[in-house]
Structures are given as structure tokens and as C-alpha cells.
Amino acid sequence: AFQLLVADEPGVVTAVEAEAGQVVAAGQPVVRVARSGQLELLAYVAEADLAVARAAREWEVSIPALGERRLTATPRELSPLADPATRTFAVRLGLQGDLSQVALGMSATVRARREAAEVIVLPVAALHALGENARVWVVGNDASVRAVPVTTGDLQGDTVRVVSGLKPGDRVVTAGASLLVEGQKVRLAPPEAGARQ
């Protein structure tokens, strides 16, 4: 039977995925419509930047066609699965502000904004455990070690970013972490030896 398709909201047709007279199955997309007044941006995030993308509450958008002007976007959806070909994660962002000069199909560059904070980066070897139970050994004033749970961010080569659990000035064991036990006394390497403390 022939049917009349009516959009539930005003908008612009961005794609027609069926031909007139074609038989379509239930649920098959026929026409794609972009709602008026709502512009969404699709970006792709590399695996290494996934933690930053998840934490970002605001994004800065640069559209080359608009020159130096910057727009703001807020996250709407971050795909839980990576694209099998590119190993990137799709993120959908809602554009904010004056969008009168923005047209559908324009290319853009996005950057996740995050609060400025002191970043602590450690060698991966400093981790006493991995995953959700990640810990490092912190050396106290009495030269004894205690296991401190940490939340880790992205890996960069042989280093890892520590998101929480440590504060600036903490002395962390970076070699032999798997050999220590709680309360064990350690001897600090002299600074001239080049060892990180």
C-alpha cells in the first residue's frame, strides 16, 4: 500500500534513501531530516583521547569557512563502540550560539575543553596494579611505603596520566613496585643518579 510520510517536526531533508515506488521494510530509513534550529556536529575521537572526550562537558569548534570565529558545543552522544575500520569513536555534539552562518555539511575541527589542572604523569612501571584497582606505592616521611589507589587516564607510550589519588609533592616508587609490601622501608636513590622519586 502507498503511504504518505510526514515529518514530526519542521526541518531540512538531508538524505533520501529510497526511490519512489520502492518496497521498503518496516523500520527501514526512507528520508533523513535535520530539525530546524538544531545543528549537530559529528566528530571522531581516537582511542587514546577517549578518556578526555568522556570527561569534556564543553567543546570548542572551529569551522574554516567562518574564519577565526569559534563556536561552543556540548556533548550529546559518545559511541560506546569503535568503528572497526578506523578504530575511532563517534561523538555527536550540539552546536551553541549564533549559527546563522553555519550550513549543513560544513567541515569543522573540534577540541575538548577541560579544566586547567596540574597533571601528574608516571611511568607505567610505577603502577602496582592495573585497571579499576590501580595503585601506586607512595613513600612516607619515615621512608615506608603505603599503597594508594589512583584513577588513571590515557597511556602515552610508557607513561600514564594519573587523574586522581595523588597530589603534587607525593614521592612515588617507580621501580620494583611489584616487589614491595605495605609498610616496607625503602631507600631513596640520590637525585644525582637520575632516578625519579
Side-chain angles (χ1 to χ4, degrees), residues 32 47 49 53 96-97 164 168 173 179 186 190-191:
R32 294 191 186 275
E47 211 168 347
D49 300 323
Q96 312 290 317
S164 66
V173 175
L179 305 174
V186 295

Side-chain angles (χ1 to χ4, degrees), residues 54-78:
R54 282 189 179 130
R57 295 290 162 254
E58 191 174 79
W59 295 65
E60 180 182 277
V61 179
S62 169
I63 299 177
L66 302 182
E68 297 298 315
R69 192 168 144 229
R70 298 286 183 267
L71 295 172
T72 300
T74 54
R76 288 188 177 166
E77 179 186 356
L78 176 61

Side-chain angles (χ1 to χ4, degrees), residues 9-26:
E9 291 185 42
V12 176
V13 173
T14 59
V16 177
E17 301 186 4
E19 300 293 330
Q22 178 182 341
V23 176
V24 293

Side-chain angles (χ1 to χ4, degrees), residues 14 76 102 114 134 141:
T14 59
R76 288 188 177 166
V102 179
R114 51 185 171 180
N141 292 333

Side-chain angles (χ1 to χ4, degrees), residues 70-186:
R70 298 286 183 267
L71 295 172
T72 300
T74 54
R76 288 188 177 166
E77 179 186 356
L78 176 61
S79 174
L81 298 173
D83 180 281
T86 64
R87 302 303 306 157
T88 58
F89 294 79
V91 59
R92 295 185 181 279
L93 305 169
L95 287 172
Q96 312 290 317
D98 179 12
L99 307 177
S100 58
Q101 296 181 347
V102 179
L104 295 174
M106 284 183 165
S107 61
T109 302
V110 298
R111 180 183 307 175
R113 288 183 181 161
R114 51 185 171 180
E115 294 178 16
E118 194 155 358
V119 176
I120 297 175
V121 177
L122 295 175
V124 173
L127 294 177
H128 173 53
L130 297 172
E132 294 181 9
N133 300 315
R135 293 187 303 253
V136 296
W137 292 109
V138 172
V139 181
N141 292 333
D142 62 351
S144 65
V145 295
R146 62 186 171 86
V148 173
V150 293
T151 303
T152 58
D154 52 319
L155 291 169
Q156 295 180 344
D158 63 348
T159 63
V160 63
R161 188 170 54 88
V162 176
V163 177
S164 66
L166 293 177
K167 60 186 182 301
D170 281 345
R171 292 182 296 181
V172 176
V173 175
T174 60
S178 61
L179 305 174
L180 298 174
V181 294
E182 188 77 25
Q184 183 175 346
K185 299 274 188 181
V186 295

